[in-house]
Amino acid sequence: MINPIQLDPDGTLLVLTGAGISVASSVRPFRGQGGVWTDDPEAERRATSPELLHRPDLIWELYGPLRPLMRKATPNPAHLALARFQKESGCDVRLVTQNVDGLHHRAGFENVIELHGNLLRSRCSQCDLPPFEDAEDRPRPCPVCGALLRPDIVLFGEQIPEKAGEAAFSAVMRCDHFLAVGTSGIVFPAALLVQSAFNYGAATTIVNLEPMDPPSPFFQREILGRAEEILPLLLEPPTLKPSALL
Ligand SMILES: [Zn+2]
């Protein structure tokens, strides 16, 4: 039995999602069971090498082949439940994601805050060319400055984009309920966001396959299981009372 999250009609929900929400969409996580790098330690070594930051050609070599797989992936019931709740609940629903698969956006969620960028977009490795949806998966020159384009994701050793970081913290200060899904509650960024939300007085919930070890004192409710099974039950938009329909 999953009791739905209770919010006032003018309440604010902030959701943080990680790799666990996209597993049912056949998007492999980078780390952990079945992870892209768990099966290929050499790829992980290259992905975390400082050299990568200066070599757009190598970024393409590593991440280019993942793009067609992400294009084929489709949003699952967890992504859809979040998008539906944003549309139908009447509440202010914000979403911060660590994922680079773009599935929240494709499910219809509006204004996703992407902490780690989006693998299906490209940007210039040098100039301020705005990131764009890219149908090609190979290195080529920027139309403005001629430097190489690169996938618009945050690499190891790079900062979270300033705008996304600010948006996440401004949302955390204002939320009535903080919900983490498919991410460990005890490492960055979930650990930091939940602590802030808790200190600002929000209720806090985590949905994940694995129990937190050690348990975080800042999550009041832990629900263990698959996001695609739990979120449709947890995010039940408030239904109109029969009297309101008359
Ligand atoms: Zn450029």
Side-chain angles (χ1 to χ4, degrees), residues 123-129 142-149:
R123 66 173 170 85
C124 180
S125 58
Q126 296 292 330
C127 78
D128 292 334
L129 176 82
C142 165
V144 176
C145 74
L148 279 181
L149 297 175

Side-chain angles (χ1 to χ4, degrees), residues 141-243:
C142 165
V144 176
C145 74
L148 279 181
L149 297 175
R150 55 166 275 187
D152 184 26
I153 53 169
V154 176
L155 302 170
F156 285 90
E158 289 183 323
Q159 302 283 328
I160 284 174
E162 206 174 318
K163 246 172 100 179
E166 281 171 8
F169 272 97
S170 130
V172 102
M173 285 191 285
R174 281 184 285 132
C175 73
D176 299 308
H177 201 118
F178 176 80
L179 168 67
V181 182
T183 181
S184 162
I186 52 173
V187 298
F188 180 83
L192 187 63
L193 291 176
V194 70
Q195 186 174 354
S196 307
F198 182 87
N199 288 340
Y200 281 106
T204 54
T205 303
I206 183 164
V207 174
N208 203 17
L209 269 185
E210 304 287 326
M212 289 179 285
D213 182 21
S216 159
F218 304 112
F219 279 109
Q220 298 155 326
R221 186 179 178 198
E222 181 181 48
I223 305 172
L224 298 179
R226 296 176 190 281
E228 65 277 16
E229 289 170 6
I230 291 168
L231 258 56
L233 304 173
L234 194 61
L235 298 172
E236 182 86 351
T239 43
L240 287 175
K241 294 195 178 78
S243 61

